[in-house]
Amino acid sequence: MTHANDIQRDHLASALELAAAGVPVLPLRAGKRPVGNCPACTGNMCGGRPNMKTAGPCQCPRPCHGWAAATTDPAVVASPVWGSAWKRAGAVAYCPGGAGVTVVDLDNAAALAWARKSLPSTRTVPTTRGEHWIYRGSMRSANNVRTGVDIKSLMQYARWLGPGTGTMTRLPDVVRALIGREETTPARGEMVSSLNRSAAWDATVATGCRHTGRYVRTGLDRGVAMVRARTESGAGSQAYGVASFLAKQHTVCPGPCGLDAMGQQIIAAAVSVGVPEAYAARAVANGLYGPTALGRVS
Ligand SMILES: [Zn+2]
Ligand SMILES: [Zn+2]
Ligand SMILES: [Zn+2]
């Protein structure tokens, strides 16, 4: 019994350590799969979490929605509802893309031999049958890009098996190329720098907001991160989702809440991952104020 309790405490302890280092974590069941959704979240009836592929309203306190439940918030990780999941957990998992890394999961000896002659060396972590090769940088995830090779990064989880050994190197093109479709190259031109110059949201512009500056800034930072994470596709619709999610937080504020300044930051984030500025601006305006063609339903 003592032994089992030690293991449970170890899962929670390493999860909290990872979260403190900015790595979003979640518990896995004994079968190394995420815990199932609670009844309210079955089949995404709740609408999904805001950080899912399609942003949703779910604020469920349980670790529902697989990788999308991964969090760096120590209050969530150590909460009583997550506590019961840690008690039954078989492993700690993390969202590699959320931590800004990509795991090349090499599942057998042949895959490992291929990696050794084809991929640049980086940090490696031994797994049951092979190794995780961890690169700095995130990308879209895909299973079976070659026999025994999975790419685990954005919108995916990987088992945490320790920090591994070796120096982490930058995600190389040869790994990006393993996923057939072409990745959007982030636009790092003048437009981005001009957008970056636009005023960031500041509590002084939100004279009629009923929320604390910290609350608004946290939500905005999270939203900007979600848009930036969509390096492959969907950044425009993510920007719309984030904008409408943020706007909903202020529907009962007397205002002004500085929604325009928030919008500028979301637009800049979308442009930085390749969304044309006009498209990003339209998506964000629709999210903040409702589709102009339909008018605002209040
Ligand atoms: Zn739930
Ligand atoms: Zn839910
Ligand atoms: Zn407000």
Side-chain angles (χ1 to χ4, degrees):
M1 279 320 281
T2 313
H3 180 64
N5 285 338
D6 282 349
I7 290 172
Q8 287 154 16
R9 196 165 54 233
D10 283 354
H11 285 329
L12 178 57
S14 42
L16 284 169
E17 229 171 85
L18 288 167
V23 177
V25 289
L26 69 151
L28 295 187
R29 294 180 296 186
K32 315 288 188 245
R33 302 278 305 160
V35 300
N37 283 1
C38 73
C41 294
T42 305
N44 259 3
M45 277 191 312
C46 59
R49 288 196 189 272
N51 57 333
M52 293 186 77
K53 198 166 188 173
T54 307
C58 181
Q59 300 289 336
C60 179
R62 293 165 196 271
C64 299
H65 304 290
W67 67 269
T71 179
T72 56
D73 187 342
V76 172
V77 175
S79 67
V81 277
W82 278 54
S84 64
W86 290 122
K87 253 176 229 155
R88 291 188 301 264
V92 178
Y94 67 110
C95 177
V101 301
T102 294
V103 175
V104 179
D105 186 5
L106 304 156
D107 217 14
N108 57 42
L112 204 47
W114 164 80
R116 285 190 181 125
K117 69 172 199 301
S118 313
L119 303 184
S121 64
T122 189
R123 180 177 297 181
T124 64
V125 183
T127 63
T128 317
R129 289 187 300 261
E131 286 179 4
H132 284 173
W133 285 31
I134 304 174
Y135 291 99
R136 193 170 357 97
S138 54
M139 63 181 284
R140 190 159 66 90
S141 300
N143 288 332
N144 265 311
V145 293
R146 291 176 58 92
T147 309
V149 182
D150 296 336
I151 306 285
K152 296 172 186 287
S153 188
L154 298 168
M155 299 196 288
Q156 185 55 280
Y157 65 91
R159 281 171 67 196
W160 174 255
L161 298 163
T165 52
T167 307
M168 203 183 292
T169 56
R170 228 180 109 242
L171 183 60
D173 288 343
V174 60
V175 172
R176 290 189 185 276
L178 291 171
I179 293 193
R181 253 193 306 156
E182 213 178 295
E183 303 255 325
T184 309
T185 311
R188 300 201 192 286
E190 287 156 29
M191 191 181 279
V192 177
S193 45
S194 77
L195 280 167
N196 285 344
R197 263 187 273 115
S198 66
W201 184 89
D202 185 274
T204 55
V205 300
T207 50
C209 186
R210 66 191 177 99
H211 300 292
T212 63
R214 183 160 176 266
Y215 174 89
V216 175
R217 208 167 295 114
T218 304
L220 181 56
D221 286 350
R222 210 168 281 169
V224 163
M226 277 185 233
V227 174
R228 287 219 177 105
R230 306 301 304 268
T231 53
E232 197 267 328
S233 69
S237 55
Q238 181 75 80
Y240 167 81
V242 166
S244 65
F245 181 78
L246 291 177
K248 278 195 201 101
Q249 298 182 327
H250 300 277
T251 45
V252 300
C253 294
C257 298
L259 287 182
D260 287 340
M262 289 183 215
Q264 285 305 317
Q265 280 180 257
I266 304 165
I267 293 167
V271 170
S272 78
V273 289
V275 178
E277 187 181 2
Y279 180 85
R282 198 162 54 237
V284 167
N286 285 348
L288 288 177
Y289 309 112
T292 44
L294 299 173
R296 192 172 183 186
V297 185
S298 52

